[in-house]
Amino acid sequence: PFSNLASVNPRFPLQRTVAMAPKGSKRASQGAAADVNKKPKLNSMMVGVVDALGQATDLPQDCLAMLEAGVPGSLGPPANERHPLQMSMVRWIGGTIESVEARLRQAVGDEDAKVATARLAFEEAEKTVSSANGNLEAKDSVVATTRSANDEAVQAVKSAKAGLTDAQVAQKTGDASLAEAGKLIEEYEGALKDHVGYLKEDSGFDASGAKMHTNQVMRIAKKLGLDDSLMTALPSACTTKPSQRGTFDKMVISELEGSFQSKVAALTEEMNTGAEATAQRAAAVTANEQVVQAAEDAQKEAEAALAAAQAAQGEAAAGLREAEKGSKAKAAEQAAAEELKKKAEQVLENFIGYNVLCFNSLRDKVSNPEVAASPAPDTSVSPAAAKSTTPVAGSEA
């Protein structure tokens, strides 16, 4: 009965069935273990797939190792010969590669956004340069205007000083002639009183005194421009005692006295008339001095305005230099951003053109249609045959 039970349900054997390893199986098992541990070789496309998986930096290392180890076993067989487990591995590998590609595309998008930001910053910097340049041009115009005004003010000061000099020269010349007239009046009046008066009186008259006064009269008379005949007759008439003079001598003395008096009267009239001219000349000098002062004040203001305009011009020039420096920096930043974008695009292009292409080629490859179309030999073994070939302990007995 137990034997029948064993034949019906092998869970209850009457005796333990032991599968004996064939002779020499120990060495064979060691060789099989070596084959299992031996890392399969990768073709060039598999290398590309493994390289793509290596770029999935967001996955744990053991997951990456699992996927890399599954590359030859899952992608090696043609698509139409893969086991469902191999297909699952292919999908996992493909999903990982897609995530890498998505990350690389995102990197390109990020770099493109940075380029756009850098471009906007550069455009703003260029606007700042343009504004600073316009500001400098405006300051240059102000400097030109104020410099012209200052030059005109300087010229006005020169002209005013020239006018003052002319007025001062006219005053000096006019006043000098009146001063000379005053001196002559004083001299002629002194001659009338001291010399001619002495020669007209007998009291105290003597030859030596008469001669001295005559010399003085002759010296002064020469300034009057008297006739030569009168000048010739003067020494004799003057040295003759008044009471002893004849009609001619008296006439000479009278003519001399009249000439002095006429000259004094003329000079006095000149002095009286010249007083108004003197006042006018003094007023002209004062007016020109005021013109000079006003011109100098205006020139100082123009000079200050020019200095302020030049200072503003310097600030504007410094602002332009700073703006140009900033624009240059922004241009460099834009160029660097564009270079990084270009590199990111190159990385993506290389990834798609190499890694993705390698995966797609391996994923989509199929076996030779002719081979795939011919019926495969039936290698299935019936359960009975399988049972008959199963070694059972004690069967040899």
Side-chain angles (χ1 to χ4, degrees):
F2 291 101
S3 60
N4 295 332
L5 179 63
S7 62
V8 174
N9 190 349
R11 292 173 61 190
F12 301 98
L14 290 178
Q15 69 181 71
R16 187 175 181 183
T17 302
V18 179
M20 302 299 292
K23 189 176 181 179
S25 62
K26 183 176 181 181
R27 181 176 300 173
S29 64
Q30 291 177 349
D35 291 339
V36 171
N37 294 329
K38 185 177 180 181
K39 193 172 183 179
K41 292 183 179 181
L42 304 177
N43 60 31
S44 59
M45 288 191 178
M46 292 180 183
V47 170
V49 173
V50 171
D51 179 71
L53 293 174
Q55 298 181 47
T57 56
D58 56 334
L59 290 181
Q61 190 62 37
D62 52 353
C63 292
L64 288 178
M66 179 191 72
L67 294 176
E68 290 175 359
V71 168
S74 61
L75 291 174
N80 57 340
E81 297 180 9
R82 291 180 188 137
H83 189 275
L85 292 178
Q86 292 174 314
M87 294 180 182
S88 297
M89 178 61 73
V90 170
R91 286 194 298 272
W92 294 344
I93 294 173
T96 303
I97 292 176
E98 287 177 358
S99 68
V100 173
E101 180 181 349
R103 178 173 57 81
L104 295 179
R105 289 186 182 278
Q106 181 61 43
V108 172
D110 293 342
E111 295 301 331
D112 185 65
K114 292 178 182 179
V115 168
T117 300
R119 183 179 297 110
L120 289 176
F122 174 68
E123 291 174 355
E124 288 298 322
E126 282 294 282
K127 290 179 182 178
T128 302
V129 170
S130 178
S131 176
N133 191 46
N135 183 43
L136 179 59
E137 290 178 354
K139 299 304 180 185
D140 290 342
S141 178
V142 173
V143 167
T145 301
T146 53
R147 179 178 286 113
S148 177
N150 184 66
D151 292 343
E152 292 177 359
V154 171
Q155 187 59 42
V157 169
K158 290 181 179 180
S159 299
K161 287 183 176 181
L164 176 60
T165 299
D166 292 342
Q168 289 172 337
V169 169
Q171 182 186 41
K172 183 177 181 180
T173 303
D175 291 353
S177 63
L178 289 182
E180 182 65 22
K183 290 180 180 180
L184 289 176
I185 289 174
E186 182 179 352
E187 184 178 14
Y188 293 155
E189 287 180 340
L192 285 171
K193 178 182 177 182
D194 297 333
H195 303 302
V196 176
Y198 175 83
L199 296 175
K200 289 173 62 179
E201 300 292 334
D202 283 341
S203 176
F205 188 91
D206 59 50
S208 60
K211 185 176 181 181
M212 185 272 294
H213 287 289
T214 299
N215 289 336
Q216 293 296 324
V217 167
M218 291 294 294
R219 179 182 64 78
I220 298 171
K222 290 179 180 179
K223 299 179 181 180
L224 297 177
L226 299 178
D227 292 338
D228 291 340
S229 59
L230 183 60
M231 292 294 294
T232 301
L234 275 176
S236 175
C238 290
T239 55
T240 302
K241 193 173 182 178
S243 59
Q244 298 176 358
R245 291 174 187 155
T247 303
F248 180 77
D249 289 338
K250 291 180 180 179
M251 181 194 69
V252 169
I253 297 300
S254 178
E255 185 70 21
L256 175 64
E257 184 178 20
S259 297
F260 276 113
Q261 291 174 343
S262 297
K263 192 61 176 178
V264 168
L267 291 173
T268 301
E269 179 64 22
E270 181 180 346
M271 289 286 291
N272 293 334
T273 304
E276 182 177 357
T278 299
Q280 291 176 349
R281 287 191 293 271
V285 169
T286 301
N288 278 275
E289 287 175 343
Q290 293 174 349
V291 171
V292 169
Q293 185 62 50
E296 288 178 340
D297 292 342
Q299 195 273 326
K300 288 180 181 179
E301 293 179 0
E303 187 176 11
L306 176 59
Q310 289 173 332
Q313 181 189 44
E315 293 177 359
L320 177 58
R321 289 193 296 272
E322 190 66 23
E324 290 175 338
K325 181 179 178 182
S327 177
K328 186 177 180 180
K330 294 303 179 183
E333 291 176 4
Q334 180 181 348
E338 290 175 347
E339 183 63 25
L340 290 176
K341 177 187 174 183
K342 183 178 179 181
K343 290 181 179 179
E345 290 174 338
Q346 188 64 50
V347 170
L348 176 60
E349 181 180 349
N350 291 341
F351 186 80
I352 294 174
Y354 171 58
N355 302 97
V356 174
L357 180 61
C358 288
F359 171 74
N360 290 341
S361 298
L362 292 173
R363 180 195 64 188
D364 299 335
K365 75 174 181 176
V366 294
S367 59
N368 191 329
E370 296 180 357
V371 176
S374 61
D378 186 7
T379 58
S380 60
V381 179
S382 64
K387 181 177 179 181
S388 63
T389 58
T390 302
V392 180
S395 60
E396 297 177 355

